[in-house]
Each structure stands twice: as structure tokens, then as C-alpha cells.
Amino acid sequence: MPWLMILVLLLALLLFGIGFTLKVLWIIAAIVLIVWLLGFVARGTGPSGRRGRWYRW
């Protein structure tokens, strides 16, 4: 029966790790979204004084 307790402990640690990782990924995604949206507002002007395209391709 000790293997069952170890298995439950490993499962709990795995689920805790997945939950923590997903929370961190949501925070990173929110930061990237904010920086991307700020790129629309803070983009520079070209030589002609017009704002350039927001994308690079």
C-alpha cells in the first residue's frame, strides 16, 4: 500500500505543477497582449511624417 500513497502524492504534485504553469502562461500572455497593443499607439513615424504599418512583412 505505500506505493498507492506515493502515486497519489506524485499525482497531486503533477496537478499542482500544471496549474501553476498554466497560471504563469496566462500572465505572460496578458503581458504580451498589452505590449502588442501599446505597439499600435507608440509606433514611430516614417520619413514622410506618416505612421508606418504596424506589421513588418
Side-chain angles (χ1 to χ4, degrees), residues 7-21:
L7 184 66
V8 170
L9 178 63
L10 286 175
L11 182 63
L13 288 174
L14 179 72
L15 291 176
F16 173 76
I18 290 172
F20 180 75
T21 303

Side-chain angles (χ1 to χ4, degrees), residues 29-51:
I31 291 170
V32 168
L33 177 65
I34 290 169
V35 169
W36 182 68
L37 290 174
L38 285 175
F40 284 110
V41 178
R43 63 182 177 210
T45 57
S48 64
R50 291 182 50 226
R51 287 190 182 262

